[in-house]
């Protein structure tokens, strides 16, 4: 079955440490996205990528980095520069952004906690 | 700038009741609108996608309507069941943009 796989499900980060969240999809989608979800707030876009080897900052990119070396994969690194990283991180994918027919498919999320 | 609002923030109903969840948006120039369901600690599951040229979409006991001119969408759930308890989010993709803007959701509890 096609879908999006996020790993790990739970992640603990020590102060000053970089951690990487994995997102893999086998839906043949071109575009991939990272969102952050905090209690009481809507989802906020961190980074997105429309094509391999290209990505753009979203609304809250500071303290995060991404890469898109393969169509199927879009890993997110939470760096030590991100001062408040505790949150639920969601990865999504879709077909090209220009079509009105296309919506998002989401992964099951990674909960990151600073210890 | 597109803004998406969902009211109410929380809703509790007895089993079997028909209910309506509301979503409003400020910019009517949209590609589409998507309704999602989120269970606690889980990812988002797509329920329905309404294209800008459509007025409504149906899937089982769910019916979503779209009125672009008034900037509103409703999600109608017929004969609610305890298994429908979850947070429901709507998301709007404005024309010419690459991303969805999400509302903060309605947390629904259906009581047995």
């Amino acid at each position: 079955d096609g879908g999006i796989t996020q790993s790990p499900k739970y992640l603990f980060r020590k102060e000053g440490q970089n951690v990487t969240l994995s997102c893999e999809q086998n839906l043949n989608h071109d575009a991939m996205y990272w969102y952050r979800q905090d209690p009481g707030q809507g989802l906020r876009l961190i980074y997105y990528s429309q094509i391999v080897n290209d990505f753009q900052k979203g609304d809250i990119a500071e303290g995060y980095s991404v890469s898109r070396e393969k169509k199927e994969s879009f890993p997110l690194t939470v760096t030590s520069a991100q001062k408040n990283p505790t949150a639920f991180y969601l990865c999504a994918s879709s077909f090209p952004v220009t079509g009105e027919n296309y919506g998002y498919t989401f992964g099951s999320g990674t909960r990151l906690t600073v210890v | 700038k597109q803004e998406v609002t969902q009211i109410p923030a929380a809703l509790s109903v007895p089993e079997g009741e028909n209910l309506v969840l509301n979503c409003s948006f400020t910019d009517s120039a949209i590609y589409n609108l998507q309704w999602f369901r989120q269970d606690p600690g889980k990812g988002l599951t797509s329920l329905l996608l309404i294209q800008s040229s459509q007025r409504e979409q149906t899937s089982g006991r769910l019916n979503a309507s779209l009125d672009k001119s008034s900037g509103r969408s409703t999600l109608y759930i017929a004969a609610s069941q305890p298994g429908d308890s979850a947070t429901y989010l709507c998301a709007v993709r404005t024309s010419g943009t690459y991303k969805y803007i999400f509302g903060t959701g309605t947390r629904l509890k259906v009581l047995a």
Side-chain angles (χ1 to χ4, degrees):
Chain A
D1 283 338
I4 299 180
T5 301
Q6 288 188 243
S7 62
K9 189 175 177 67
Y10 299 97
L11 187 57
F12 298 91
R13 192 194 94 166
K14 295 180 180 178
E15 295 283 349
Q17 193 178 46
N18 292 354
V19 292
T20 297
L21 285 60
S22 171
C23 178
E24 303 273 337
Q25 55 97 359
N26 60 2
L27 298 165
N28 201 31
H29 284 170
D30 299 286
M32 297 186 74
Y33 312 81
W34 274 105
Y35 280 85
R36 169 179 172 143
Q37 187 177 36
D38 295 279
Q41 299 194 37
L43 277 71
R44 293 181 291 168
L45 182 66
I46 304 172
Y47 269 97
Y48 73 103
S49 169
Q50 299 180 56
I51 195 170
V52 174
N53 292 323
D54 187 50
F55 49 83
Q56 285 79 40
K57 293 181 179 179
D59 301 316
I60 55 164
E62 184 175 352
Y64 300 97
S65 66
V66 294
S67 63
R68 186 87 187 275
E69 297 176 1
K70 298 186 301 182
K71 185 176 184 178
E72 301 80 16
S73 179
F74 192 41
L76 173 73
T77 296
V78 184
T79 74
S80 57
Q82 171 48 241
K83 297 306 178 190
N84 185 23
T86 295
F88 191 50
Y89 290 86
L90 288 157
C91 178
S93 69
S94 72
F95 282 117
V97 296
T98 54
E100 70 168 6
N101 300 332
Y102 304 127
Y104 278 359
T105 299
F106 276 91
S108 57
T110 293
R111 184 164 299 281
L112 174 62
T113 304
V114 174
V115 295
Chain B
K1 179 185 171 185
Q2 180 75 270
E3 293 181 2
V4 180
T5 304
Q6 291 185 250
I7 295 173
L11 182 62
S12 197
V13 300
E15 182 177 7
E17 193 161 297
N18 301 326
L19 57 99
V20 173
L21 306 182
N22 296 297
C23 173
S24 61
F25 48 95
T26 54
D27 186 346
S28 61
I30 65 172
Y31 274 137
N32 59 44
L33 181 147
Q34 201 168 357
W35 281 95
F36 294 90
R37 169 186 172 136
Q38 185 176 30
D39 293 290
K42 306 290 186 184
L44 276 64
T45 300
S46 179
L47 298 173
L48 290 163
L49 182 147
I50 309 179
Q51 299 170 27
S52 62
S53 55
Q54 297 176 324
R55 297 282 295 185
E56 65 179 76
Q57 280 282 357
T58 298
S59 176
R61 294 183 294 108
L62 305 179
N63 175 279
S65 68
L66 175 65
D67 183 345
K68 281 198 310 178
S69 60
S70 66
R72 291 184 184 178
S73 176
T74 61
L75 180 66
Y76 175 83
I77 302 176
S80 58
Q81 303 170 358
D84 295 330
S85 298
T87 297
Y88 292 81
L89 295 136
C90 75
V92 173
R93 190 151 73 83
T94 308
S95 297
T97 67
Y98 50 82
K99 65 180 183 180
Y100 277 94
I101 303 296
F102 285 81
T104 52
T106 293
R107 191 170 64 255
L108 172 66
K109 188 168 186 178
V110 181
L111 305 169

